Amino acid sequence: METLLTLAVALMAGLLLTRLIKRWRLPAVTAYLVAGVLIGPNCLGLLGIRGLGFPTFDDVEQFGLISDVALGFIAFAIGNEFRLAQLRKTGKQAAVVAVIQALTATVFVDVVLLLLHLVLGDRLPVSTCIVLGAVATATAPAATIMVVNQYKAKGPLTDILLPIVALDDAVGLVVFAISFGAAKTMTSGSFSPLSVILNPTLEIVASLLLGAALGGLFSLVEKLFHSNSKRLSVAVAFVVLAAALSKVEIPLGGEVALSFSPLLVCMMVGSIFCNVCDFSQEIMYKTDRWTAPLYVLFFVLSGAELDLRVFSQVAVVGVGLAYILSRSAGKITGASAGARLMHCQPTVCKYLGLTLLPQAGVALGMSVTVAAGLGEQGKIIRDIILFSVLVYELIGPILTKIALTKAGEILPPQADGTPAAPAQGR
């Protein structure tokens, strides 16, 4: 009973808070995150009443299945943006801009933190600097997708934004694997170039192949059914299957292992399906409607996971602020430079960087790996990332909405306060 009651409270808390922040015209995802913080271990959870909040962070982790499934559907929805007709227009642009903005963020963070290292010395090791630089590449697709869907954003900025957010995962995996391998070398003295190069390569290739296979099978199975409800059920089954299989890890000997990225696998399923199945648009639309409450729970749980105690650590806050400011500058500068290089429209060059600031799932996943692999230093890095995620997840969606509005891709609300639908052909 407590589990069901907790889910009901989490869902209602997120929904009710959207009514409160509506007067400020803030994105709904911000309300969900704040609701999670309020019913989490640092607020309502302090009362210790199970069922009316999350008394401990272990209680939040028990609902990890919901987060895994929600991320699967978010990645599946992103895959829908990789339709061949659309890629012919923005594919090359998105790939180049994604790489440039990700690497620029890494360089900015590395330079700023290494300068801080000269001042702080061993209190901020070089290995910590380069790991945080790698984590800076990651952008959270979930918050971006929620803002785009809530306000029905449509236009050139939205068209290039979604593929870039998707490609960030692949770029981030490679940069993080190399940087993390170098950091482990600095702290332990052992180095395995084979695992540093091979593991991320295997993960990306294996994820894309598994996603492609599941996407092809999904398209074939969908054609066996004609009822919309059954087709929706098949879609749900395959996304859950993809999320489950992406958890498999196969040791290949030594430090080399075959693992999968849930985001890349589910994204590839959606990409193959939308290009192979002739009624994919309808299925994608129905899937988006079905997952609405799932997304609410995902963001409320994400908010509950944020540990406000990191604010009590002066060193974490100081380095965290340096990380946030340098990463933001890198994302904005890199996105603008990449967009200009690829001759994107002026609105894309001007506002793209602001939409790439949210950071959560992938960055948190990286922090878990770091905490497990770098001991006490890894725990400090995790605290810094938790602090930055707290800040980014609260202000990131707001900045995304502002950027899309300034670009003219979110129309002013109607008289009743609901978002206006974009004009056709916009």
Side-chain angles (χ1 to χ4, degrees):
M1 184 188 80
E2 289 179 355
T3 300
L4 293 177
L5 183 58
T6 301
L7 287 177
V9 169
L11 188 58
M12 287 306 302
L15 293 173
L16 290 175
L17 202 59
T18 61
R19 301 302 89 192
L20 182 62
I21 71 165
K22 185 179 180 181
R23 65 186 65 184
W24 297 299
R25 295 181 180 177
L26 298 175
V29 64
T30 301
Y32 303 149
L33 290 164
V34 173
V37 172
L38 293 177
I39 66 173
N42 294 132
C43 294
L44 186 61
L46 292 174
L47 298 176
I49 305 175
R50 296 187 182 277
L52 295 181
F54 300 98
T56 68
F57 289 101
D58 288 337
D59 292 322
V60 182
E61 291 179 5
Q62 290 179 1
F63 295 93
L65 176 65
I66 293 175
S67 297
D68 291 339
V69 174
L71 277 175
F73 279 101
I74 289 166
F76 179 68
I78 292 175
N80 188 44
E81 303 302 321
F82 285 87
R83 294 180 180 272
L84 291 178
Q86 185 66 28
L87 286 178
R88 292 189 184 98
K89 300 178 183 178
T90 62
K92 184 178 179 181
Q93 289 181 331
V96 172
V97 175
V99 173
I100 291 177
Q101 58 84 25
L103 295 182
T104 303
T106 295
V107 171
F108 272 51
V109 171
D110 280 343
V111 169
V112 169
L113 294 187
L114 287 172
L115 289 175
L116 274 179
H117 163 73
L118 297 178
V119 177
L120 299 176
D122 291 340
R123 285 179 291 176
L124 182 62
V126 173
S127 54
T128 297
C129 300
I130 63 173
V131 169
L132 287 172
V135 176
T137 59
T139 298
T144 303
I145 288 290
M146 283 291 289
V147 173
V148 168
N149 288 344
Q150 179 185 351
Y151 296 101
K152 299 180 176 64
K154 189 176 180 66
L157 176 56
T158 304
D159 290 342
I160 196 172
L161 167 62
L162 297 178
I164 287 175
V165 170
L167 289 168
D168 247 11
D169 189 31
V171 178
L173 280 172
V174 175
V175 175
F176 175 75
I178 295 172
S179 298
F180 182 54
K184 285 199 295 185
T185 300
M186 294 177 186
T187 56
S188 67
S190 62
F191 179 67
S192 174
L194 180 63
S195 63
V196 169
I197 298 172
L198 195 56
N199 279 338
T201 303
L202 280 175
E203 181 170 338
I204 293 170
V205 173
S207 298
L208 295 178
L209 289 176
L210 176 60
L214 289 174
L217 182 60
F218 174 31
S219 302
L220 292 175
V221 173
E222 279 283 23
K223 294 177 181 178
L224 299 177
F225 300 91
H226 303 286
S227 163
N228 285 334
S229 60
K230 288 185 174 61
R231 285 177 171 174
L232 175 59
S233 299
V234 172
V236 172
F238 266 89
V239 175
V240 173
L241 175 63
L245 292 179
S246 64
K247 293 289 185 180
V248 175
E249 184 169 335
I250 306 172
L252 298 179
E255 296 183 13
V256 179
L258 177 63
S259 57
F260 303 93
S261 164
L263 287 176
L264 286 179
V265 172
C266 295
M267 182 188 73
M268 196 63 176
V269 172
S271 181
I272 295 296
F273 173 66
C274 75
N275 283 289
V276 172
C277 187
D278 54 6
F279 51 83
S280 61
Q281 288 272 28
E282 181 182 1
I283 298 299
M284 288 289 189
Y285 175 80
K286 292 183 179 297
T287 301
D288 285 342
R289 305 284 78 75
W290 180 87
T291 53
L294 184 64
Y295 289 168
V296 175
L297 284 173
F298 169 74
F299 283 105
V300 172
L301 290 171
S302 297
E305 285 179 330
L306 299 176
D307 191 348
L308 300 183
R309 289 174 297 183
V310 298
F311 285 110
S312 65
Q313 304 175 51
V314 177
V316 169
V317 172
V319 177
L321 287 174
Y323 169 83
I324 289 169
L325 293 174
S326 55
R327 176 183 178 270
S328 301
K331 286 282 183 180
I332 293 171
T333 303
S336 178
R340 285 188 171 88
L341 177 66
M342 298 308 295
H343 306 292
C344 295
Q345 294 191 20
T347 53
V348 174
C349 299
K350 188 173 183 180
Y351 298 112
L352 177 61
L354 282 178
T355 65
L356 297 173
L357 298 185
Q359 189 172 47
V362 176
L364 289 174
M366 291 176 178
S367 73
V368 172
T369 302
V370 172
L374 293 182
E376 196 63 35
Q377 185 185 148
K379 293 177 182 178
I380 295 174
I381 295 174
R382 177 170 170 78
D383 286 342
I384 293 170
I385 295 172
L386 283 172
F387 170 76
S388 68
V389 165
L390 176 61
V391 174
Y392 274 129
E393 283 297 89
L394 293 177
I395 68 171
I398 298 172
L399 293 177
T400 298
K401 181 201 170 185
I402 291 173
L404 291 171
T405 302
K406 293 284 188 181
E409 300 186 14
I410 293 179
L411 299 185
Q414 300 174 10
D416 61 359
T418 58
Q424 294 297 320
R426 184 176 175 78

